[in-house]
Each structure stands twice: as structure tokens, then as C-alpha cells.
Amino acid sequence: MEGMLGFFLMISVISASGALAPGPLLIATMNLSLKAGRYAGFLAALGHMAFELPLVLLIGLGVWSFMADPAVRLAIGVVGGAALMAFGFIQARSSIKAIGSEADSVGGDPLGRLTLGRRGFSAAFLVGFLFTALNPYFLMWWFTVGLILISEAIKLGALAGILLMFAFHIWVDYAWLGAAGYAVAVGARFLKPRQISILSLILALTIIVLGAMFIRSAVTGSL
């Protein structure tokens, strides 16, 4: 029991080093929560898990060893950063339009358009999945710090150990994204539509800056 408790604490603490760091997924989740409601963060965490679990299993099986190639790291950083900037520009344009028109509702949602107009579950899930897949630092984290978790899990019991480790890891993401989304959605109830659009614009600009930073890090080799 003490060994399992120690394993749980180790996984939770190390996982928090990545999950609690501000990044595109957190910012995008907060932005979506302004429109989609208080449970958007939990649904975004589900989309995050849909990408992360297969990735962890692939790393555990040694399939993705090609990530050590500098050219692959450069491509991931540039493509991921550019995609994040594109999402940010689309959201910023939508927010600026809403601010200018002083409409009674928040500006259009590009993610909603990508899901053929469906909101709620599909939009939040897509945010979680895409902003995880497009974040090069997320991938680098699993191939550096995360390897510690996977190696310890394999010692514990191969595939079963990896799945147990992932269960001990993913609750941190659900707790963090869920709490952040809930807090933003509840707080938005006290803001006027124009103020919400301004906040959405700020978050969109932050995503653009993060995307530019990812590209810069990839090009300079610091990723």
C-alpha cells in the first residue's frame, strides 16, 4: 500500500509540473468556457485524454523513437506553432468584430464552425484534442520528463503499469482544466457581452504569442 501511495504521489507531482503550466490548451479552454459554459473544461480534458493516451502507449512501446531526430522536432515546432497562431488570429478577428458591433452575444466561434455548427460537447472535445496535438512542448514533455513516469510504470507491470500510471496522471488534467473552465464560465456571468469579447480577444492574442514562441524555439533549436 505504501509503495502504491508513493507511486501515486510521484506521478501526481510530476504530472502537475506539466499540467499546471500555462499553455495553449488552458488558454483555449478558458476562451471556450466564456461561450460554452461551466463544464467545457471537463470536456476539453476528455479531448486532451483522447490524444494523450495513445501517445503514452506508443512511447511505452518504443514506436515514437524517431522524435529524437532534430528535423522532426523542427517540423513539429513550426507546424504546431503556425497552427496555433492561425487559431488565434481567427478568434481574434471574431472578437474584434464583436467588440466593434457591440452585439449582445460573444463573437463567432471558429471551432464551432469546424464542427459544422455544433457546440457544447463537440467544440470542447475538439479544443482539448487539437490544442494538445498542436502543442510541441506537450510532446517534448512526454519525451523528456514524461519518460520518467513511463519507465517507472513499465517496472511496475508493463501495459498494466502504464495504464495505472496514466490514471494517476490524467486526474490532474481533469481537475485543472475543469476548475479553470468552471471559474471562467461562472465569472463571465457578471460581465457584459462587450467585456467578454475583450477578454476573448486577450486570450486569442496570448495564443498567437505562444505559437510564435514555439516557432522561435523550434528554429533556434531550444525546443
Side-chain angles (χ1 to χ4, degrees):
M1 180 62 70
E2 291 182 1
M4 188 61 66
L5 177 60
F7 184 65
F8 170 76
L9 293 176
M10 180 192 71
I11 299 299
S12 298
V13 170
I14 295 178
S15 297
S17 71
L20 302 186
L25 176 57
L26 174 63
I27 296 169
T29 299
M30 293 169 63
N31 202 345
L32 180 68
S33 297
L34 293 171
K35 315 174 188 68
R38 65 187 68 181
Y39 300 116
F42 296 102
L43 295 174
L46 181 63
H48 170 77
M49 183 178 71
F51 182 87
E52 186 174 42
L53 178 56
L55 173 67
V56 170
L57 292 175
L58 286 172
I59 295 175
L61 294 173
V63 175
W64 278 34
S65 58
F66 67 87
M67 283 291 296
D69 188 338
V72 173
R73 296 163 69 96
L74 173 62
I76 290 175
V78 172
V79 173
L84 289 175
M85 291 182 70
F87 277 114
F89 278 119
I90 293 173
Q91 184 61 62
R93 179 176 178 273
S94 176
S95 299
I96 291 173
K97 183 184 295 185
I99 294 171
S101 64
E102 299 188 19
D104 291 332
S105 59
V106 181
D109 182 1
L111 291 171
R113 288 198 293 272
L114 288 176
T115 53
L116 304 179
R118 292 176 298 173
R119 297 184 183 276
F121 178 90
S122 56
F125 182 90
L126 189 60
V127 162
F129 189 89
L130 288 180
F131 280 86
T132 298
L134 295 174
N135 184 355
Y137 277 105
F138 165 80
L139 298 176
M140 293 304 106
W141 188 90
W142 271 111
F143 283 95
T144 52
V145 179
L147 281 178
I148 299 175
L149 307 185
I150 295 175
S151 62
E152 291 298 320
I154 292 176
K155 294 177 185 178
L156 189 65
L159 179 60
I162 293 177
L163 293 176
L164 180 63
M165 177 276 295
F166 188 79
F168 287 170
H169 160 81
I170 197 63
W171 80 267
V172 178
D173 293 314
Y174 274 95
W176 179 235
L177 293 175
Y182 190 93
V184 169
V186 171
R189 295 170 55 189
F190 302 97
L191 299 176
K192 297 179 180 179
R194 182 181 177 87
Q195 294 172 324
I196 293 177
S197 294
I198 293 174
L199 178 57
S200 180
L201 174 60
I202 294 173
L203 293 173
L205 293 176
T206 304
I207 291 177
I208 293 173
V209 171
L210 288 174
M213 291 174 60
F214 289 162
I215 294 176
R216 179 180 180 275
S217 296
V219 172
T220 58
S222 58
L223 183 64

